[in-house]
Amino acid sequence: MSLRDIPNLISLLRIVLVAPVVWALATEQFELALLLFAVAGISDGLDGFLAKHFHWESRLGSILDPIADKLLLVATFASLTWLGLLPLWLLWLVLGRDLIIIGGGLAYHYYLGQFDLSPLWSSKINTTLQIALVLLVMVQQQWLPGLDKVVTIGIWLVVASVINSGTEYVLVWGARAWRQIKQKR
Protein backbone atom coordinates (compact mmCIF):
# COMPACT_ATOMS: atom_id res chain seq x y z
CA MET A 1 0.00 0.00 0.00
CA SER A 2 1.28 3.45 -0.90
CA LEU A 3 0.12 7.05 -0.78
CA ARG A 4 -1.23 6.72 -4.32
CA ASP A 5 -3.83 4.28 -2.96
CA ILE A 6 -5.42 6.91 -0.70
CA PRO A 7 -8.01 8.10 -3.29
CA ASN A 8 -9.11 4.49 -3.87
CA LEU A 9 -9.38 3.88 -0.12
CA ILE A 10 -11.51 7.00 0.21
CA SER A 11 -13.78 5.69 -2.59
CA LEU A 12 -14.07 2.39 -0.73
CA LEU A 13 -14.99 4.30 2.43
CA ARG A 14 -17.75 6.03 0.46
CA ILE A 15 -19.06 2.61 -0.60
CA VAL A 16 -19.05 1.51 3.05
CA LEU A 17 -21.01 4.65 3.98
CA VAL A 18 -23.93 3.62 1.76
CA ALA A 19 -25.33 1.17 4.33
CA PRO A 20 -25.36 3.64 7.25
CA VAL A 21 -26.96 6.33 5.04
CA VAL A 22 -29.70 3.89 3.99
CA TRP A 23 -30.22 2.80 7.61
CA ALA A 24 -30.48 6.43 8.76
CA LEU A 25 -33.04 7.15 6.04
CA ALA A 26 -35.00 3.96 6.71
CA THR A 27 -35.28 4.90 10.38
CA GLU A 28 -36.12 8.48 9.40
CA GLN A 29 -33.08 9.91 11.13
CA PHE A 30 -32.69 12.62 8.52
CA GLU A 31 -30.16 14.66 10.45
CA LEU A 32 -27.82 11.66 10.68
CA ALA A 33 -28.48 10.82 7.03
CA LEU A 34 -27.55 14.39 6.08
CA LEU A 35 -24.35 14.20 8.10
CA LEU A 36 -23.31 10.87 6.56
CA PHE A 37 -24.29 12.07 3.09
CA ALA A 38 -22.17 15.20 3.63
CA VAL A 39 -19.20 13.07 4.72
CA ALA A 40 -19.63 11.00 1.56
CA GLY A 41 -19.82 14.16 -0.56
CA ILE A 42 -16.70 15.63 1.02
CA SER A 43 -14.88 12.33 0.54
CA ASP A 44 -15.84 12.40 -3.15
CA GLY A 45 -14.28 15.83 -3.55
CA LEU A 46 -11.25 14.83 -1.52
CA ASP A 47 -10.44 11.68 -3.46
CA GLY A 48 -10.78 13.55 -6.75
CA PHE A 49 -8.57 16.38 -5.52
CA LEU A 50 -5.87 14.01 -4.25
CA ALA A 51 -5.92 11.90 -7.41
CA LYS A 52 -5.58 14.91 -9.71
CA HIS A 53 -3.32 17.12 -7.59
CA PHE A 54 -0.77 14.42 -6.80
CA HIS A 55 -1.24 12.49 -10.07
CA TRP A 56 -2.51 9.45 -8.17
CA GLU A 57 -5.09 8.64 -10.83
CA SER A 58 -5.55 4.97 -11.64
CA ARG A 59 -7.77 2.75 -13.73
CA LEU A 60 -9.14 1.27 -10.48
CA GLY A 61 -9.94 4.77 -9.22
CA SER A 62 -11.69 5.64 -12.47
CA ILE A 63 -13.96 2.64 -11.84
CA LEU A 64 -14.35 2.84 -8.03
CA ASP A 65 -15.23 6.55 -7.89
CA PRO A 66 -18.28 6.43 -10.18
CA ILE A 67 -19.39 3.13 -8.62
CA ALA A 68 -19.26 4.72 -5.16
CA ASP A 69 -21.18 7.75 -6.42
CA LYS A 70 -23.82 5.64 -8.16
CA LEU A 71 -24.29 3.28 -5.21
CA LEU A 72 -24.80 6.21 -2.86
CA LEU A 73 -27.20 8.05 -5.17
CA VAL A 74 -29.22 5.00 -6.19
CA ALA A 75 -29.45 3.81 -2.58
CA THR A 76 -30.61 7.22 -1.35
CA PHE A 77 -33.08 7.60 -4.24
CA ALA A 78 -34.44 4.10 -3.53
CA SER A 79 -34.68 4.84 0.20
CA LEU A 80 -36.46 8.14 -0.33
CA THR A 81 -38.80 6.43 -2.81
CA TRP A 82 -39.49 3.65 -0.30
CA LEU A 83 -40.40 6.31 2.27
CA GLY A 84 -42.79 7.91 -0.25
CA LEU A 85 -40.72 11.10 -0.47
CA LEU A 86 -39.78 10.71 -4.14
CA PRO A 87 -42.00 9.25 -6.89
CA LEU A 88 -41.34 5.68 -8.04
CA TRP A 89 -41.30 6.74 -11.70
CA LEU A 90 -38.38 9.09 -10.96
CA LEU A 91 -36.37 6.22 -9.47
CA TRP A 92 -37.09 4.14 -12.57
CA LEU A 93 -36.08 7.01 -14.85
CA VAL A 94 -32.77 7.50 -13.00
CA LEU A 95 -32.10 3.73 -12.98
CA GLY A 96 -33.08 3.44 -16.64
CA ARG A 97 -30.54 6.07 -17.67
CA ASP A 98 -27.82 4.39 -15.64
CA LEU A 99 -28.64 0.96 -17.07
CA ILE A 100 -28.58 2.30 -20.64
CA ILE A 101 -25.16 3.88 -20.01
CA ILE A 102 -23.79 0.75 -18.32
CA GLY A 103 -25.23 -1.52 -21.02
CA GLY A 104 -23.83 0.70 -23.76
CA GLY A 105 -20.44 0.82 -22.05
CA LEU A 106 -20.32 -2.95 -21.69
CA ALA A 107 -21.38 -3.44 -25.32
CA TYR A 108 -18.74 -0.93 -26.44
CA HIS A 109 -16.07 -2.66 -24.36
CA TYR A 110 -17.10 -6.16 -25.49
CA TYR A 111 -17.42 -5.40 -29.20
CA LEU A 112 -15.02 -2.51 -29.80
CA GLY A 113 -12.47 -2.41 -26.97
CA GLN A 114 -11.58 -0.41 -23.90
CA PHE A 115 -13.02 3.06 -23.59
CA ASP A 116 -12.35 6.12 -21.45
CA LEU A 117 -14.64 6.21 -18.40
CA SER A 118 -14.54 9.99 -18.03
CA PRO A 119 -18.04 11.45 -17.60
CA LEU A 120 -19.61 14.00 -19.90
CA TRP A 121 -20.41 17.46 -18.50
CA SER A 122 -24.11 16.75 -18.78
CA SER A 123 -23.55 13.76 -16.52
CA LYS A 124 -21.76 15.89 -13.93
CA ILE A 125 -24.65 18.36 -13.99
CA ASN A 126 -27.10 15.46 -13.66
CA THR A 127 -25.22 14.05 -10.67
CA THR A 128 -25.12 17.49 -9.04
CA LEU A 129 -28.88 17.93 -9.51
CA GLN A 130 -29.58 14.46 -8.13
CA ILE A 131 -27.43 15.17 -5.06
CA ALA A 132 -29.15 18.53 -4.59
CA LEU A 133 -32.57 16.86 -4.76
CA VAL A 134 -31.59 14.23 -2.18
CA LEU A 135 -30.25 16.94 0.13
CA LEU A 136 -33.33 19.08 -0.42
CA VAL A 137 -35.69 16.22 0.48
CA MET A 138 -33.68 15.40 3.61
CA VAL A 139 -33.60 19.07 4.68
CA GLN A 140 -37.34 19.28 4.03
CA GLN A 141 -37.97 16.26 6.25
CA GLN A 142 -35.67 17.43 9.03
CA TRP A 143 -36.20 21.18 9.24
CA LEU A 144 -38.28 22.80 6.49
CA PRO A 145 -41.51 20.90 5.77
CA GLY A 146 -42.90 23.70 3.59
CA LEU A 147 -40.56 23.05 0.65
CA ASP A 148 -43.00 21.00 -1.45
CA LYS A 149 -42.89 23.35 -4.45
CA VAL A 150 -39.10 23.57 -4.36
CA VAL A 151 -38.85 19.77 -4.20
CA THR A 152 -41.21 19.51 -7.17
CA ILE A 153 -39.01 21.91 -9.14
CA GLY A 154 -35.99 19.81 -8.12
CA ILE A 155 -37.70 16.65 -9.37
CA TRP A 156 -38.39 18.21 -12.77
CA LEU A 157 -34.83 19.54 -13.04
CA VAL A 158 -33.57 16.01 -12.39
CA VAL A 159 -35.97 14.65 -15.02
CA ALA A 160 -34.66 17.14 -17.60
CA SER A 161 -31.03 16.43 -16.74
CA VAL A 162 -31.54 12.63 -16.79
CA ILE A 163 -33.08 12.83 -20.25
CA ASN A 164 -30.45 15.28 -21.52
CA SER A 165 -27.51 13.35 -20.10
CA GLY A 166 -28.81 9.95 -21.19
CA THR A 167 -29.45 11.23 -24.70
CA GLU A 168 -26.00 12.81 -24.89
CA TYR A 169 -24.32 9.56 -23.82
CA VAL A 170 -26.22 7.59 -26.46
CA LEU A 171 -25.37 10.13 -29.18
CA VAL A 172 -21.71 10.69 -28.24
CA TRP A 173 -20.81 7.05 -27.60
CA GLY A 174 -23.00 5.85 -30.47
CA ALA A 175 -21.10 8.16 -32.85
CA ARG A 176 -17.74 6.95 -31.48
CA ALA A 177 -18.79 3.34 -31.88
CA TRP A 178 -20.02 4.00 -35.41
CA ARG A 179 -16.69 5.64 -36.35
CA GLN A 180 -14.75 2.69 -34.94
CA ILE A 181 -16.94 0.19 -36.75
CA LYS A 182 -16.42 2.07 -40.05
CA GLN A 183 -12.64 2.14 -39.48
CA LYS A 184 -12.54 -1.64 -38.97
CA ARG A 185 -14.21 -2.31 -42.33
Side-chain angles (χ1 to χ4, degrees):
M1 173 139 353
S2 70
L3 290 176
R4 17 183 340 98
D5 296 321
I6 292 173
N8 294 342
L9 291 172
I10 293 171
S11 291
L12 287 172
L13 169 69
R14 199 160 61 256
I15 291 170
V16 170
L17 277 174
V18 171
V21 169
V22 168
W23 176 81
L25 288 171
T27 58
E28 298 186 20
Q29 296 182 53
F30 296 103
E31 193 169 6
L32 177 59
L34 275 163
L35 175 67
L36 294 170
F37 199 82
V39 168
I42 291 165
S43 75
D44 187 25
L46 181 61
D47 73 6
F49 169 78
L50 292 173
K52 286 178 179 43
H53 184 74
F54 294 108
H55 306 289
W56 293 344
E57 294 133 326
S58 67
R59 178 83 174 148
L60 177 61
S62 74
I63 295 169
L64 275 179
D65 185 60
I67 287 174
D69 293 344
K70 273 299 144 196
L71 281 174
L72 183 63
L73 271 176
V74 167
T76 54
F77 259 77
S79 298
L80 293 173
T81 300
W82 177 262
L83 292 170
L85 302 173
L86 286 176
L88 181 61
W89 59 264
L90 180 63
L91 175 63
W92 284 116
L93 184 67
V94 168
L95 287 174
R97 172 201 170 268
D98 292 345
L99 290 174
I100 288 169
I101 291 170
I102 291 167
L106 290 172
Y108 191 100
H109 179 76
Y110 181 75
Y111 292 110
L112 299 171
Q114 187 172 320
F115 63 99
D116 178 22
L117 291 173
S118 60
L120 301 173
W121 271 104
S122 63
S123 180
K124 291 181 181 209
I125 292 167
N126 181 55
T127 299
T128 301
L129 288 171
Q130 287 183 27
I131 290 168
L133 179 59
V134 165
L135 290 171
L136 186 61
V137 170
M138 286 192 273
V139 165
Q140 176 192 35
Q141 294 305 305
Q142 182 62 36
W143 296 297
L144 301 170
L147 291 179
D148 292 342
K149 288 181 183 177
V150 178
V151 169
T152 300
I153 291 168
I155 288 170
W156 289 108
L157 287 171
V158 167
V159 167
S161 70
V162 164
I163 292 169
N164 179 60
S165 173
T167 302
E168 187 177 12
Y169 267 104
V170 168
L171 293 175
V172 167
W173 284 99
R176 287 180 188 175
W178 182 251
R179 283 192 300 271
Q180 262 194 299
I181 290 168
K182 286 177 70 174
Q183 287 175 353
K184 287 185 176 184
R185 288 184 186 171

